[in-house]
Amino acid sequence: MNFAAEEPKWTEVASFWASVGSGVIALIALIAAIIAATAAWRTNEHQRKQLDQLTQRDAERHAYSFGMWVTRDLDDFAVFYSNAGSLPVYNVAVRVWVNYGDEAFHFGNWRDIGDLGPTTEPQKLIKFSEDYFQRVVSYAESEAEAKFIDNKGNRDQKVLQIVDYCISSASLEYQFYDSEGQRWERDREGIILREDPVITTKTRARFIALRS
């Protein structure tokens, strides 16, 4: 019996199993790499979501730390604001609503206020307050004049009634952006809403630059 003739076959078998073993090892290594990559992606995704949640909570705290309201100041109309946050709010716009029975109408269009920085105590929007008061007086005078053309006493009384009503029943609706460029709106009932911002890259860069 010639065993030498069988030797190449055993060599081929050994080589085959060696190749199989290398392939298995490579496959195991590939599977391990995929598992590791998937775990890393999940970890990064979890961390990203946590960061987004923290950022969102910071943005909400910032938004809720800013407020505007109306009050009477020596029988005059006054709008005050407070920003208890550490950063300004940007592109503030406000308009005044007047309740009329079960309905309400806004008295004038949106008025741009600009950027309002942090405050330690409430601040009065002097120019806006004065302008609104003058618009109310002009409106009241025109309404009274139309109804009491020949009676000055009644006209004056009607003017006072309209002015008092427009001041005492006034409420505010306002919009602003936080330092991240997120747009917020608080309606006349005091409910604050986060709006989908329409912000260009240039505008967002401005918000970031303002923070630095």
Side-chain angles (χ1 to χ4, degrees):
M1 183 178 294
N2 188 357
F3 290 98
E6 301 291 333
E7 185 174 343
K9 294 182 178 180
W10 287 107
T11 303
E12 292 175 2
V13 171
S15 177
F16 168 77
W17 284 112
S19 299
V20 172
S22 298
V24 170
I25 292 173
L27 179 60
I28 293 173
L30 176 61
I31 294 173
I34 292 173
I35 293 173
T38 302
W41 178 83
R42 287 177 177 173
T43 299
N44 291 336
E45 183 69 9
H46 180 66
Q47 291 176 342
R48 183 190 65 78
K49 288 181 179 179
Q50 285 184 322
L51 181 59
D52 288 345
Q53 290 174 353
L54 289 173
T55 302
Q56 178 59 35
R57 283 198 290 268
D58 286 342
E60 288 177 352
R61 281 194 292 268
H62 187 199
Y64 279 93
S65 68
F66 173 71
M68 302 179 71
W69 63 94
V70 296
T71 186
R72 298 185 68 123
D73 183 17
L74 299 177
D75 293 326
D76 198 354
F77 175 85
V79 174
F80 286 84
Y81 76 92
S82 175
N83 181 5
S86 59
L87 296 170
V89 292
Y90 305 99
N91 295 4
V92 179
V94 60
R95 65 180 176 180
V96 181
W97 286 79
V98 174
N99 296 323
Y100 189 78
D102 295 332
E103 299 180 354
F105 63 93
H106 55 84
F107 198 96
N109 297 321
W110 288 100
R111 175 76 175 272
D112 293 329
I113 303 299
D115 305 336
L116 297 176
T119 62
T120 56
E121 59 184 20
Q123 301 292 317
K124 181 179 178 181
L125 292 174
I126 298 175
K127 183 71 167 60
F128 178 83
S129 302
E130 292 177 348
D131 288 349
Y132 177 78
F133 184 73
Q134 290 303 318
R135 288 201 305 272
V136 168
V137 171
S138 297
Y139 167 75
E141 289 177 341
S142 64
E143 286 290 301
E145 181 69 25
K147 295 177 180 178
F148 302 99
I149 298 175
D150 299 323
N151 192 322
K152 185 178 185 303
N154 285 343
R155 284 204 308 272
D156 292 344
Q157 183 178 6
K158 187 64 174 179
V159 167
L160 292 176
Q161 289 176 349
I162 294 175
V163 170
D164 181 71
Y165 184 82
C166 289
I167 290 177
S168 62
S169 67
S171 58
L172 295 181
E173 179 184 15
Y174 53 92
Q175 304 171 347
F176 61 94
Y177 289 87
D178 62 25
S179 57
E180 296 293 334
Q182 175 66 60
R183 180 173 173 268
W184 299 83
E185 179 175 341
R186 190 185 291 269
D187 66 21
R188 59 189 179 87
E189 295 179 350
I191 299 174
I192 191 166
L193 303 170
R194 185 179 63 179
E195 301 289 337
D196 292 332
V198 181
I199 299 177
T200 63
T201 302
K202 183 177 180 181
T203 305
R204 182 174 290 280
R206 171 180 176 269
F207 285 115
I208 301 303
L210 287 169
R211 295 179 61 192
S212 61

